[in-house]
């Protein structure tokens, strides 16, 4: 940014913040519900705490509550009710211009509470899904906004958690050495396609930035292994996202303008008497202001996304919700004919259009019967398409068609779930899902100058049927068993899979909890791989089985003091039925962005991941917070049983993160806040397959030595991220200026091997991708 722009920003900010703030109190509102049934809980006790002071109230007949006359700041809110376990929500930020809204879901006590000496669990320790006992983490919106490296992106924030690795150029999430493609993305209970901008271009399962803005995201569950039976079609983990409910009492709006684009959010009541509400968010970006910092071939980059949620509650008829998420991306690279090309990429003209969408209509109804049942149904539709067209400069400086790729998919889904409480000690989730899967593929390659020939062209469809039942049983006041079965039938290859899941946890003392979990998990491959044809136009992969894995996890959770948590999780995973090519050139455990294959695939591949994840966290108190994670692991694969174990592409062996932050409150009544946050990540060197240099130079393209897969290793990476923000809270508005920098020290990350056309040598192509976002946000 030049000096004139900086001066202009300074003038605007000085005018914005020069007015004196007026002291004004606000309120914390919310609703208390039963965790199992969703039924409102009247007369629950609400206690709002800040330091040594506390003020309380009780919920009304509909479970709603409001604590008034509170000064803006950070609070801790505790809820309790006879026969239920207490719940605490920390880090509740109350702003002067709008009330805070909280939702408590209390778990009914299975035994006499006098027998239990467990402190109420701060919500950061526990996931929203009560069936998760191990390898689960709650990801809060507040953390996504505050943590360095998060960049308001839940996927990038997750890379700070134990067992998770990612990189700068893409937010693809590798969990415990598994490929990002094995992670399942869920939205509002529905499996959705990769929700990232520029998805799957660099690695399947990753992208540049998630399409879900933190302005509208609710707290999410991030699961890294041994998932409960309610989750299907996930091999490494689950990112369980949802949109929060919009305010049903007043209108709230946010506008954020930054270097990378514009973000607008709005929420409010549709009909106040009906408690119905809307929530909508739109983002648009051209990345024009950061173009000099992007890779040379990045070219034109535009993206936009839209998300919304409409809520229509009714105690008699149930609650209806309509939600949606969509994105549209355009990226274009153009060659410079007047510049001597250094790499083949410098000769290419390439345009990529991508869009993704997901929408669902949900219905939830509580039945006040013997089993306190809660019915949830949903009808959803998802789609994603990538359209890529490449041309290349000839020796005559004329653009000639090189290839055309179209990869399109759409799915219809119906979900049914019935939650029941058979006894105080036994609750159950039982349901089924039906999916209609469809694809449309086109691959055209140049067969002579400017002539494209169809290599792959086709459409196909199939269906998947999933049934699950998951129970939580309290064996004693301190012990809990979670067990269930997940079953799926895939009509294309007529495969039935049965996946038992079980976990048990025991509260040893007030501060120590131990747990263990086991499960079989599986994941279907993208539909296109099943419809591969040979040269005789015969399907060769219709009988391909799903990839599967055994997960075994142990967990020790220790609270040495208030606001501190130590968590240690050793684990072992054995993967089997992994698709590999017959020539042992590729295992799907190492798949990156291979959208099309003409190879016959067989399910002889295996893998094993063994490691330990350590997390030490200090929750924010007195303005200070921190997170340290350390992961040691070994991720291996082989093409068939009996062979030597080999490194996977993601076997970095060591990941360490240290995140520290501090908030300072200044000004009249502490209405101004300065936030500082720093994160450093050390990741062990990633394995790679050596390049056959002579053959590559002779053929003009990179040829790998597949007889030595991933036998070499890059140096370790050290990456720094920084976040700075300054906020001013005023009676009707709040203002925030933030500077968020990814890769602040300019680490040069490996991108690919390339042939230098000038020196006729093979080079490691690296980019120091530094991404700053200077932004201004106003909330009113």
């Amino acid at each position: 940014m030049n000096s004139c722009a900086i001066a202009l920003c300074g003038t605007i900010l000085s005018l914005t913040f020069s007015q004196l703030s007026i002291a004004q109190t606000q309120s914390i509102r919310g609703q208390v519900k039963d965790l199992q049934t969703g039924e409102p809980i009247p007369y629950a006790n609400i206690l709002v705490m800040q330091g040594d002071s506390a003020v309380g109230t009780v919920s009304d007949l509909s479970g709603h509550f409001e604590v008034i006359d509170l000064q803006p700041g950070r609070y801790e809110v505790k809820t309790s009710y006879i026969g239920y376990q207490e719940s605490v929500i920390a880090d509740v930020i109350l702003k002067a211009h709008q009330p805070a809204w909280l939702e408590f879901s209390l778990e009914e006590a299975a035994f006499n509470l006098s027998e239990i000496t467990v402190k109420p669990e701060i919500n950061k320790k526990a996931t929203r899904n009560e069936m998760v006992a191990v390898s689960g983490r709650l990801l809060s919106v507040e953390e996504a906004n505050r943590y360095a490296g998060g960049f308001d992106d839940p996927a990038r924030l997750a890379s700070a958690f134990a067992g998770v690795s990612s990189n700068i150029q893409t937010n693809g999430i590798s969990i415990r050495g598994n490929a990002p493609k094995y992670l399942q993305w869920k939205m509002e209970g529905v499996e959705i396609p990769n929700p990232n901008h520029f998805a799957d271009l660099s690695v399947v399962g990753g992208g540049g930035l998630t399409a879900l803005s933190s302005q509208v995201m609710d707290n999410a569950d991030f699961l890294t292994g041994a998932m409960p039976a309610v989750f299907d079609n996930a091999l490494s983990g689950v990112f369980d996202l949802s949109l929060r409910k919009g305010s049903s009492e007043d209108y709230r709006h946010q506008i954020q303008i930054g270097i990378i684009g514009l973000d607008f959010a709005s929420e409010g009541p549709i009909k106040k008497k009906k408690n119905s509400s809307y929530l909508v968010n739109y983002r648009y970006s051209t990345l024009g202001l950061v173009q000099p910092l992007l890779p040379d071939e990045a070219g034109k980059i535009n993206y936009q996304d839209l998300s919304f949620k409409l809520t229509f509650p009714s105690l008699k008829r149930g609650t209806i919700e309509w939600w949606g998420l969509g994105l549209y991306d355009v990226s274009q690279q153009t060659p410079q004919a007047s510049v001597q090309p250094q790499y083949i990429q410098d000769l290419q003209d390439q345009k990529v259009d991508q869009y993704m969408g997901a929408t669902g209509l949900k219905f939830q109804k509580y039945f006040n019967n013997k089993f306190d049942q809660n019915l949830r149904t949903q009808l959803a539709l998802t789609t994603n398409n990538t359209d890529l067209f490449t041309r290349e400069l000839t020796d005559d400086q004329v653009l000639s068609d090189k290839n055309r790729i179209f990869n399109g998919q759409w799915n219809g889904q119906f979900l049914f779930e019935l939650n029941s409480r058979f006894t105080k000690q036994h609750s159950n989730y039982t349901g089924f899902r039906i999916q209609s899967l469809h694809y449309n593929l086109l691959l055209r390659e140049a067969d002579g100058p400017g002539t494209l020939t169809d290599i792959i062209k086709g459409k196909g469809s199939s269906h998947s049927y999933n049934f699950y039942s998951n129970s939580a049983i309290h064996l004693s006041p301190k012990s809990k068993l979670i067990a269930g079965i997940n079953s799926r039938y895939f009509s294309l290859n007529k495969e039935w899979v049965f996946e038992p899941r079980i976990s048990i946890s025991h509260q040893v003392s007030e501060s120590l909890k131990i747990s263990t979990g086991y499960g079989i998990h599986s994941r279907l491959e993208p539909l296109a791989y099943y419809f591969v044809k040979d040269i005789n136009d015969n399907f060769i992969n219709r009988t391909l089985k799903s990839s599967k894995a055994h997960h075994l996890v142990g967990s020790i959770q220790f609270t040495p003091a208030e606001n501190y948590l130590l968590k240690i999780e050793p684990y072992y995973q054995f993967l089997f039925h992994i698709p590999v090519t017959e020539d042992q050139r590729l295992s799907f455990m190492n798949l990156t962005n291979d959208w099309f294959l003409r190879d016959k695939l067989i399910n002889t591949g295996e893998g094993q991941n063994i490691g330990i994840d350590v997390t030490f966290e200090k929750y924010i108190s007195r303005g200070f917070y921190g997170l340290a994670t350390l992961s040691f692991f070994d991720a291996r694969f082989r093409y068939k049983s009996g062979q030597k174990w080999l490194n996977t592409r993601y076997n970095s062996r060591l990941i360490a993160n240290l995140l520290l932050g501090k908030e300072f409150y200044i000004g009249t009544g502490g209405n101004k806040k300065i936030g500082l946050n720093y994160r450093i990540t050390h990741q062990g060197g990633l394995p790679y397959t050596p390049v056959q240099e002579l053959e590559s130079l002779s053929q003009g393209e990179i040829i790998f030595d597949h007889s030595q897969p991933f036998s070499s290793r890059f140096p370790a990476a050290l990456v720094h991220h920084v976040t700075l923000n300054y906020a001013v809270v005023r009676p009707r508005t709040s203002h925030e200026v933030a500077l968020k920098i990814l890769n602040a020290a300019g680490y040069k990350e490996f991108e690919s091997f390339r042939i230098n056309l000038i020196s006729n040598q093979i080079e490691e192509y690296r980019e120091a991708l530094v991404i700053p976002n200077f932004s201004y946000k106003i909330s009113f």
Side-chain angles (χ1 to χ4, degrees):
M1 186 180 294
N2 58 39
S3 58
C4 292
I6 294 175
L8 178 60
C9 290
T11 302
I12 294 174
L13 294 177
S14 63
L15 291 174
T16 304
F17 299 141
S18 61
Q19 302 180 44
L20 293 176
S21 64
I22 303 173
Q24 178 172 321
T25 59
Q26 260 300 351
S27 64
I28 294 179
R29 306 170 182 171
Q31 188 178 24
V32 185
K33 298 180 180 180
D34 184 288
L35 176 64
Q36 171 70 24
T37 65
E39 182 186 17
I41 299 178
Y43 308 116
N45 295 305
I46 317 297
L47 189 64
V48 177
M49 299 169 288
Q50 186 182 57
D52 296 329
S53 62
V55 60
T57 188
V58 295
S59 58
D60 60 20
L61 292 177
S62 63
H64 289 92
F65 67 87
E66 181 176 17
V67 181
I68 62 174
D69 295 331
L70 298 174
Q71 294 293 329
R74 190 182 295 273
Y75 290 87
E76 185 174 289
V77 184
K78 180 170 69 173
T79 302
S80 60
Y81 185 69
I82 297 175
Y84 286 79
Q85 296 183 25
E86 292 184 348
S87 178
V88 176
I89 296 182
D91 301 344
V92 178
I93 298 177
L94 182 62
K95 299 179 180 180
H97 65 281
Q98 66 183 34
W101 174 266
L102 304 177
E103 289 191 1
F104 283 92
S105 296
L106 300 186
E107 182 177 3
E108 187 174 12
F111 296 90
N112 188 341
L113 289 178
S114 63
E115 302 178 46
I116 305 174
T117 58
V118 181
K119 289 183 178 179
E121 197 165 30
I122 294 178
N123 64 336
K124 282 188 178 181
K125 296 181 184 178
T127 56
R128 296 177 53 159
N129 191 315
E130 65 168 324
M131 296 292 176
V132 177
V134 295
S135 297
R137 161 80 192 221
L138 185 76
L139 186 150
S140 74
V141 179
E142 201 260 343
E143 288 173 333
N145 291 325
R146 174 161 47 95
Y147 281 12
F151 220 65
D152 299 333
D153 180 359
R156 291 189 180 274
L157 173 60
S159 66
F161 300 156
V164 180
S165 62
S166 186
N167 58 32
I168 304 165
Q169 298 181 35
T170 174
N171 63 1
I173 300 173
S174 172
I175 299 175
R176 293 175 173 173
N178 288 293
K181 69 185 288 291
Y182 289 138
L183 171 72
Q184 184 193 71
W185 293 88
K186 293 182 78 77
M187 171 64 70
E188 298 288 344
V190 172
E191 181 176 2
I192 62 174
N194 185 345
N196 290 298
H197 290 285
F198 313 107
D200 302 335
L201 294 181
S202 298
V203 60
V204 175
L209 188 75
T210 53
L212 186 61
S213 170
S214 61
Q215 312 288 0
V216 294
M217 187 182 80
D218 203 349
N219 293 341
D221 285 347
F222 183 67
L223 314 181
T224 57
M227 291 78 71
V230 294
F231 295 102
D232 172 54
N233 200 34
L235 201 67
S236 68
V238 177
F239 217 143
D240 194 4
L241 303 164
S242 61
L243 298 169
R244 61 181 176 83
K245 176 187 173 184
S247 171
S248 60
E249 299 186 355
D250 44 40
Y251 294 97
R252 307 172 186 177
H253 315 284
Q254 287 187 347
I255 300 175
Q256 179 171 295
I257 302 173
I259 291 178
I260 67 171
L262 172 70
D263 191 329
F264 170 75
S266 178
E267 62 182 295
I270 298 176
K271 287 188 176 181
K272 286 188 176 182
K273 293 183 178 180
K274 300 290 186 179
N275 285 323
S276 58
S277 64
Y278 76 89
L279 175 70
V280 64
N281 188 91
Y282 173 75
R283 294 191 300 183
Y284 178 79
S285 176
T286 63
L287 297 183
L289 293 177
V290 295
Q291 199 71 40
L293 302 174
L294 298 176
D296 295 335
E297 72 271 17
K300 176 184 176 183
I301 298 177
N302 293 338
Y303 72 81
Q304 52 189 314
D305 56 60
L306 174 71
S307 52
F308 69 88
K309 187 174 188 178
L310 307 180
T311 304
F312 304 93
S314 171
L315 292 178
K316 294 182 179 180
R317 293 183 295 273
T319 298
I320 296 176
E321 293 180 342
W322 180 33
W323 62 272
L325 171 68
L327 66 83
Y328 177 66
D329 306 326
V330 177
S331 58
Q332 186 169 13
Q333 168 190 335
T334 57
Q336 297 181 3
S338 60
V339 178
Q340 183 180 10
Q342 186 175 9
Y343 305 106
I344 191 67
Q345 289 82 0
D346 299 333
L347 298 172
Q348 293 180 347
D349 179 281
Q350 187 178 83
K351 184 179 180 181
V352 184
D353 291 277
Q354 295 179 282
Y355 68 84
M356 171 267 176
T359 185
L361 188 63
K362 298 173 60 177
F363 173 75
Q364 180 171 319
K365 171 68 175 176
Y366 167 71
F367 296 97
N368 188 15
N369 56 22
K370 179 180 178 181
F371 299 125
D372 291 331
Q373 291 177 314
N374 184 13
L375 172 67
R376 301 176 185 177
T377 62
Q378 184 166 188
L379 187 64
L381 181 67
T382 67
T383 182
N384 63 300
N385 288 269
T386 298
D387 191 354
L388 184 151
F389 180 47
T390 305
R391 298 184 297 172
E392 192 170 286
L393 279 177
T394 65
D395 294 338
D396 299 327
Q397 300 297 298
V398 176
L399 285 172
S400 176
D401 293 350
K402 181 176 176 62
N403 61 45
R404 168 75 186 279
I405 298 174
F406 180 82
N407 184 4
Q409 301 178 53
W410 70 270
N411 301 329
Q413 302 183 48
F414 174 74
L415 295 83
F416 173 95
E417 183 178 86
L418 184 64
N419 302 343
S420 306
R421 183 190 290 123
F422 298 123
T423 66
K424 285 187 176 183
Q425 290 79 30
H426 182 193
S427 59
N428 175 270
Y429 291 7
T430 295
F432 65 84
R433 305 179 182 94
I434 301 174
Q435 292 193 67
S436 179
L437 313 171
H438 304 262
Y439 84 95
N440 183 8
L441 297 177
L442 173 65
L443 171 60
R444 309 185 72 195
E445 295 280 1
D447 185 17
T451 303
L452 296 179
T453 301
D454 292 347
I455 304 299
I456 298 176
K457 183 178 182 180
K459 299 180 180 180
S461 64
S462 188
H463 295 83
S464 173
Y465 305 89
N466 170 236
F467 169 82
Y468 62 89
S469 184
N470 210 152
S471 286
I473 302 172
H474 292 266
L475 304 176
S476 72
K478 296 184 179 182
S479 299
K480 184 177 181 180
L481 172 70
I482 299 174
I485 184 76
N486 190 296
S487 177
R488 182 181 65 243
Y489 176 73
F490 188 38
S491 64
L492 182 64
N493 61 6
K494 297 179 173 55
E495 180 188 24
W496 276 100
V497 293
F498 296 93
E499 302 170 0
R501 318 275 178 85
I502 187 170
S503 63
I504 188 168
S505 59
H506 179 68
Q507 194 77 40
V508 178
S509 67
E510 184 176 345
S511 57
L512 178 63
K513 182 179 181 180
I514 58 174
S515 307
T516 186
Y518 165 79
I520 298 178
H521 304 271
S522 66
R523 185 162 176 82
L524 296 171
E525 300 300 334
L527 208 59
Y529 295 120
Y530 295 93
F531 286 93
V532 172
K533 294 182 179 180
D534 60 16
I535 58 176
N536 298 318
D537 207 36
N538 297 317
F539 293 109
I540 57 177
N541 292 328
R542 290 286 291 265
T543 59
L544 188 69
K545 298 178 182 179
S546 57
S547 299
K548 302 176 183 67
H550 296 276
H551 285 203
L552 179 62
V553 181
S555 178
I556 301 173
Q557 187 171 289
F558 177 61
T559 306
E562 187 176 4
N563 296 315
Y564 288 88
L565 173 67
L566 174 64
K567 189 174 184 180
I568 302 173
E569 287 200 337
Y571 62 87
Y572 175 76
Q573 301 175 351
F574 179 76
L575 289 74
F576 59 103
H577 288 174
I578 304 299
V580 300
T581 56
E582 281 190 314
D583 61 3
Q584 299 190 2
R585 174 181 53 84
L586 173 66
S587 166
F588 271 37
M589 289 183 64
N590 302 309
L591 197 69
T592 52
N593 57 352
D594 299 284
W595 297 343
F596 302 95
L597 290 173
R598 302 206 69 176
D599 301 79
K600 178 173 175 56
L601 301 172
I602 54 179
N603 288 106
T604 61
E606 295 180 344
Q608 67 173 12
N609 306 319
I610 183 170
I612 184 169
D613 295 335
V614 181
T615 299
F616 182 69
E617 184 168 9
K618 183 192 182 304
Y619 303 139
I620 188 166
S621 61
R622 298 182 180 179
F624 177 71
Y625 56 94
L627 173 68
T629 63
L630 183 64
S631 299
F632 295 99
F633 65 98
D634 187 42
R636 302 278 181 162
F637 83 100
R638 58 189 178 190
Y639 293 104
K640 62 180 180 180
S641 179
Q643 287 185 340
K644 177 183 176 181
W645 288 108
L646 306 168
N647 288 315
T648 69
R649 180 187 299 274
Y650 304 97
N651 188 20
S652 60
R653 299 188 296 196
L654 170 65
I655 307 169
N657 287 279
L658 177 63
L659 184 146
L660 298 172
K662 175 66 177 176
E663 292 182 348
F664 302 90
Y665 287 89
I666 59 177
T668 305
N671 70 310
K672 299 177 182 179
K673 182 186 72 174
I674 298 175
L676 309 175
N677 191 280
Y678 167 75
R679 173 184 158 195
I680 182 172
T681 298
H682 172 90
Q683 180 172 298
L686 290 169
Y688 69 92
T689 300
V691 175
Q692 294 181 330
E693 296 192 14
L694 295 179
E695 188 173 349
S696 298
L697 293 174
S698 65
Q699 295 191 24
E701 62 178 334
I702 298 297
I703 306 296
F704 292 98
D705 184 0
H706 293 292
S707 66
Q708 304 181 66
F710 305 102
S711 58
S712 299
R713 190 176 291 273
F714 292 117
L718 193 65
V719 182
H720 306 260
H721 308 295
V722 176
T723 293
L724 310 172
N725 60 66
Y726 173 65
V728 176
V729 179
R730 300 174 61 195
R732 297 184 179 274
T733 61
S734 69
H735 308 263
E736 180 178 350
V737 178
L739 176 62
K740 301 179 180 181
I741 306 176
L742 292 179
N743 192 24
Y747 169 74
K748 290 187 176 182
E749 187 174 63
F750 173 79
E751 182 176 318
S752 64
F753 288 103
R754 294 186 178 185
I755 298 176
N756 190 314
L757 302 178
I758 299 175
S759 64
N760 197 36
Q761 293 181 341
I762 295 176
E763 298 178 353
E764 288 185 15
Y765 186 76
R766 292 177 173 269
E767 283 283 357
L769 187 62
V770 180
I771 307 178
N773 184 27
F774 179 75
S775 63
Y776 164 70
K777 179 170 67 177
I778 180 172
S779 304
F780 56 96

